[in-house]
């Protein structure tokens, strides 16, 4: 017997309509590429998203067509999120930090019809223009006054001109909720990037979970600063969740350095910020150097890489802000787990609370997860063993664009994340490593993440990365690579001494090498592939 409830489709346009109707004057504040700050409310944003949708239709965009964006977090990008998906076209967010050959590959693979690009990112399009096979129009996200006088790209269109004479009265079309809504390619550290194609249904269900209060706390008193880019897994879904919650949003534009982020946090009295650990490292150091406090920030959502316990401690002790750690991936829309305190846990002493936050978090309802061995058999979820993490649920990828990467899709919908994790009996997830980064020493595993996390707590250490290096006896042994804080004089012996008692003795790195900088990938993660290449000819003193 089927239920007798309405089968209304879940559509992204409903998000902006809701915000426009019920949080109409709540502000969206943007630092623009052109310079000045821009402010308006959700009602204005909806009107302009509709004008944009009308303009897209005028350019011939239909249901299912892909429209690319190469843009920072800002109000025009926000309008594109709703204007493109709202008419059933597919919003394809490209990461401007990718190598040019990947940008061209992705735009061609997705068959993008139009590219919208921020003014200062136009050189990326110009650089790959002759390789783009399907792009018919390039729209610069600015007004006439700022349009470049000349460009390698013929007949550039101007965003403000494109929408200026449109009425903004369009009624959003209604279509199947399983229609593709947006597209985001994985960073492609191994091989070509693969396309994750979200649907309206998956996005809405993910959004409703993210905004339910227990996952990412947001309400009309929240001022959110998503530093996590809108080209990276839909800014972790925040750009959809915040409008539903009636939260004010502050978009940082292209400036993500400590000083610029601090200025926004302070001027706009941000209460919740979100981004990857590297951004916060820069900000925390900027605050120390300039004796500043983030006075309004209550919480910071951090994910994309493991959050060192030293960072959790600094946010709390130096700024009174609580860290929420999130784990997930582009293929998971991206939320899998977030830090959530169970009843009574908030009253625990600081160190115990920090230890909970240093885990990757507890499962978000709707995302099932388990760990399996290499043969695919279930492993115990009592924290005793690590295994391959597999996940399934209504916002988990079921296949990549055009059938790429088949091997990651197992039986019964279980998607292989490529992460090696423990799951504890209360559901807490503790990531050991990416399976390709785990260090195999004498038949046992050493977690590079745990070592990095411990080393980051050592005074004088700004950043730490660990890779496995070939060893004749043990197969692989850990090499710790460290960037010193400015003016710090910390040496190998200091770091190794600091690690004593904090890690298993046999995990102790065989060597510590100091470098000026550690390479990061397009989404802020430490680029282990590049580090391994850099230390290709390096021999461990113990080998
Ligand atoms: P995102 O960075 O948005 O989470 P990506 O698809 O770029 O998405 O990367 C996903 C991978 O990043 C995960 O498979 C995992 O290895 C790593 N990752 C994400 N969050 C965390 C975290 N909190 N701790 C450790 N690793 C993480």
């Amino acid at each position: 017997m089927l239920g007798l409830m309405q089968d209304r489709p879940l559509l992204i346009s409903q998000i902006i309509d809701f915000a426009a109707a019920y949080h109409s004057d709540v502000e969206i504040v943007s630092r623009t590429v052109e310079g000045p700050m821009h402010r308006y409310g959700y009602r204005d944003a909806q009107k302009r998203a509709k004008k944009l949708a009308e303009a897209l239709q005028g350019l011939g965009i239909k249901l299912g067509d892909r429209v690319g964006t190469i843009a920072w977090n800002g109000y025009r990008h926000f309008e594109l999120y709703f204007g493109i998906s709202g008419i059933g076209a597919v919003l394809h967010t490209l990461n401007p930090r990718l190598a040019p050959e990947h940008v061209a590959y992705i735009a061609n693979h997705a068959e993008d019809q139009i590219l919208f690009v921020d003014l200062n990112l136009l050189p990326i399009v110009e650089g790959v223009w002759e390789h783009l096979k399907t792009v018919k129009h390039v729209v610069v996200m600015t007004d006439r006054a700022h349009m470049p006088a000349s460009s390698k790209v013929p007949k550039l269109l101007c965003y403000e001109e494109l929408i200026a004479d449109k009425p903004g009265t369009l009624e959003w079309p209604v279509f199947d909720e399983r229609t593709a809504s947006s597209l985001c390619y994985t960073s492609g550290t191994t091989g070509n990037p693969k396309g994750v194609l979200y649907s309206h249904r998956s996005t809405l269900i993910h959004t409703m979970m993210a905004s339910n209060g227990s996952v990412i706390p947001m309400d009309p008193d929240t001022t959110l600063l998503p530093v996590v880019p809108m080209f990276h897994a839909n800014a972790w879904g925040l750009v959809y969740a915040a409008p539903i919650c009636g939260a004010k949003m502050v978009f940082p534009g292209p400036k993500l350095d400590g000083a610029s982020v601090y200025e926004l946090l302070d001027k706009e009295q941000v209460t919740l910020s979100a981004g990857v650990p590297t951004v916060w490292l820069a900000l925390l150091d900027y605050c120390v150097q300039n004796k500043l406090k983030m006075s309004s920030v209550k919480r910071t959502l951090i994910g994309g890489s493991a959050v060192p316990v030293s960072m959790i401690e600094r946010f709390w002790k130096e700024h009174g802000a609580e860290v929420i750690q999130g784990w997930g991936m582009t293929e998971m829309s991206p939320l899998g787990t977030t830090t959530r305190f169970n009843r009574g846990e908030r009253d625990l002493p600081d160190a115990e609370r920090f230890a909970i936050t240093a885990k990757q978090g507890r499962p978000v309802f709707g995302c099932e997860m388990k760990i399996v061995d290499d043969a695919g058999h279930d492993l115990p979820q009592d924290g005793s063993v690590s295994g391959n993490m597999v996940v399934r649920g209504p916002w988990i990828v079921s296949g990549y664009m055009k059938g790429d990467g088949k091997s990651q899709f197992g039986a019964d919908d279980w998607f292989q994340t490529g992460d090696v994790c423990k799951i504890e009996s209360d559901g807490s997830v503790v990531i050991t490593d990416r399976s390709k980064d785990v260090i195999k020493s004498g038949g046992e595993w050493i977690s590079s993440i745990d070592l990095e996390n411990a080393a980051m707590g050592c005074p004088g250490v700004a950043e730490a990365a660990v890779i496995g290096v070939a060893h004749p006896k043990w197969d692989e042994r850990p090499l710790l690579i460290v960037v010193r804080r400015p003016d710090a004089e910390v040496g190998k012996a200091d770091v190794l001494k600091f690690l004593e008692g904090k890690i298993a003795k046999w995990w102790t790195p065989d060597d510590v090498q100091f470098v000026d900088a550690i390479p990061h990938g397009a989404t802020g993660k430490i680029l282990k592939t590049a580090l391994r290449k850099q230390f290709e000819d390096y021999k461990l003193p113990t080998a």
Side-chain angles (χ1 to χ4, degrees), residues 210-285:
S211 56
N212 83 359
S214 74
V215 174
I216 302 172
M218 275 192 288
D219 63 25
D221 293 322
T222 304
T223 298
L224 169 73
L225 176 79
V227 180
V228 53
M230 290 165 80
F231 53 74
H232 183 193
N234 302 315
W236 297 342
L238 294 166
V239 173
Y240 299 119
I244 287 187
C245 299
K248 168 179 163 179
M249 268 197 287
V250 183
F251 288 133
K255 291 192 176 160
L256 305 180
D257 59 286
S260 309
V261 172
Y262 181 82
E263 191 186 308
L264 279 188
L265 288 174
D266 189 49
K267 279 213 175 113
E268 300 299 330
Q269 289 290 292
V270 169
T271 60
L272 172 68
S273 58
V276 297
T278 42
V279 166
W280 305 125
L281 269 182
L283 180 67
L284 286 168
D285 284 349

Side-chain angles (χ1 to χ4, degrees), residues 17-301:
D17 282 357
F18 182 85
Y22 307 117
H23 304 292
S24 35
D25 298 323
V26 173
E27 273 188 314
I28 300 173
V29 183
S30 310
R31 173 178 272 143
T32 63
V33 174
E34 297 91 336
M37 298 297 288
H38 176 276
R39 319 178 157 260
Y40 66 4
Y42 281 117
R43 192 196 289 122
D44 307 318
Q46 180 214 36
K47 177 96 177 165
R48 281 173 51 95
K50 288 190 168 191
K51 282 158 128 316
L52 174 76
E54 289 157 352
L56 288 169
Q57 288 175 332
L59 291 172
I61 293 299
K62 308 174 302 299
L63 197 81
D65 284 345
R66 271 78 73 198
V67 178
T69 63
I70 307 184
W72 307 109
N73 292 7
Y75 68 103
R76 293 191 184 103
H77 206 178
F78 182 78
E79 293 159 10
L80 286 157
Y81 258 60
F82 295 94
I84 295 171
S85 304
I87 55 168
V90 181
L91 164 83
H92 173 204
T93 51
L94 286 95
N95 185 337
R97 300 195 187 111
L98 287 177
E101 62 269 25
H102 277 165
V103 172
Y105 170 85
I106 287 175
N108 289 332
H109 190 269
E111 299 174 50
D112 289 334
Q113 302 293 303
I114 303 182
L115 279 182
F116 283 82
V117 58
D118 258 336
L119 191 54
N120 68 344
L121 298 174
L122 181 59
I124 296 178
V125 182
E126 291 174 328
V128 298
W129 178 245
E130 56 197 354
H131 303 290
L132 298 181
K133 297 184 185 137
T134 57
V135 176
K136 300 192 189 90
H137 306 282
V138 175
V139 184
V140 186
M141 294 160 66
T142 191
D143 53 17
R144 177 45 60 187
H146 290 90
M147 281 296 282
S150 66
S151 169
K152 257 176 89 173
V153 179
K155 297 200 214 101
L156 280 182
L157 297 174
C158 164
Y159 187 98
E160 291 302 329
E161 275 180 2
L162 195 66
I163 68 167
D165 60 352
K166 301 293 177 290
T169 51
L170 157 141
E171 291 285 332
W172 299 114
V174 174
F175 40 78
D176 189 322
E177 64 180 10
R178 292 164 302 173
T179 303
S181 58
S182 59
L183 174 62
C184 185
Y185 281 72
T186 59
S187 5
T189 42
T190 48
N192 272 326
K194 298 187 287 281
V196 179
L197 191 57
Y198 309 100
S199 69
H200 285 259
R201 174 185 154 81
S202 72
T203 304
L204 268 269
I205 297 177
H206 181 264
T207 303
M208 290 191 273
M209 272 320 296
S211 56
N212 83 359
S214 74
V215 174
I216 302 172
M218 275 192 288
D219 63 25
D221 293 322
T222 304
T223 298
L224 169 73
L225 176 79
V227 180
V228 53
M230 290 165 80
F231 53 74
H232 183 193
N234 302 315
W236 297 342
L238 294 166
V239 173
Y240 299 119
I244 287 187
C245 299
K248 168 179 163 179
M249 268 197 287
V250 183
F251 288 133
K255 291 192 176 160
L256 305 180
D257 59 286
S260 309
V261 172
Y262 181 82
E263 191 186 308
L264 279 188
L265 288 174
D266 189 49
K267 279 213 175 113
E268 300 299 330
Q269 289 290 292
V270 169
T271 60
L272 172 68
S273 58
V276 297
T278 42
V279 166
W280 305 125
L281 269 182
L283 180 67
L284 286 168
D285 284 349
Y286 174 82
C287 288
V288 170
Q289 282 151 16
N290 296 281
K291 300 195 173 55
L292 297 168
K293 197 170 165 188
M294 304 176 211
S295 55
S296 55
V297 179
K298 294 196 185 105
R299 296 190 179 91
T300 302
L301 174 64

Side-chain angles (χ1 to χ4, degrees), residues 187 232-233 236 302-306 325-331 334 360 417 419 431 434 449 523 525:
S187 5
H232 183 193
W236 297 342
I302 314 182
S305 301
Q325 175 154 199
W327 168 86
M329 56 200 305
T330 304
E331 287 90 333
Q360 273 55 44
T417 63
D419 283 349
I431 183 168
R434 294 292 292 163
I449 292 181
T523 55
K525 293 186 216 307

Side-chain angles (χ1 to χ4, degrees), residues 240-432:
Y240 299 119
I244 287 187
C245 299
K248 168 179 163 179
M249 268 197 287
V250 183
F251 288 133
K255 291 192 176 160
L256 305 180
D257 59 286
S260 309
V261 172
Y262 181 82
E263 191 186 308
L264 279 188
L265 288 174
D266 189 49
K267 279 213 175 113
E268 300 299 330
Q269 289 290 292
V270 169
T271 60
L272 172 68
S273 58
V276 297
T278 42
V279 166
W280 305 125
L281 269 182
L283 180 67
L284 286 168
D285 284 349
Y286 174 82
C287 288
V288 170
Q289 282 151 16
N290 296 281
K291 300 195 173 55
L292 297 168
K293 197 170 165 188
M294 304 176 211
S295 55
S296 55
V297 179
K298 294 196 185 105
R299 296 190 179 91
T300 302
L301 174 64
I302 314 182
S305 301
V307 186
V309 78
S310 54
M311 182 175 282
I312 299 166
E313 206 172 285
R314 286 183 70 187
F315 262 105
W316 183 251
K317 294 193 171 151
E318 294 169 17
H319 303 281
E322 188 175 86
V323 168
I324 305 171
Q325 175 154 199
W327 168 86
M329 56 200 305
T330 304
E331 287 90 333
M332 300 169 64
S333 298
L335 285 179
T337 62
T338 55
T339 306
R340 282 192 313 282
F341 292 112
N342 286 338
R343 183 182 281 265
E345 287 179 344
R346 264 184 201 285
D347 303 328
L348 290 171
D350 282 2
E352 286 175 50
R353 270 196 345 272
F354 299 158
I356 293 175
T357 308
K359 297 174 190 176
Q360 273 55 44
R362 290 174 170 142
V364 174
F365 173 80
C367 177
E368 290 176 72
M369 46 188 72
K370 64 177 184 177
I371 47 173
V372 296
D373 63 16
D374 288 342
H377 300 123
D378 290 5
L379 288 170
Q381 307 198 5
D382 57 6
S384 63
V385 285
S386 301
N388 303 312
M389 176 68 112
V390 296
V391 294
R392 67 179 180 191
W395 61 77
I396 309 297
V397 69
S398 68
Y400 290 109
M401 182 89 173
K402 298 187 172 170
D404 291 346
K406 284 212 169 58
S407 61
Q408 276 172 279
F409 302 95
D412 297 329
D413 284 343
W414 289 106
F415 168 73
Q416 291 160 28
T417 63
D419 283 349
V420 176
C421 302
K422 282 181 185 162
I423 303 180
E424 300 180 341
S425 37
D426 67 358
S428 293
V429 169
V430 180
I431 183 168
T432 308

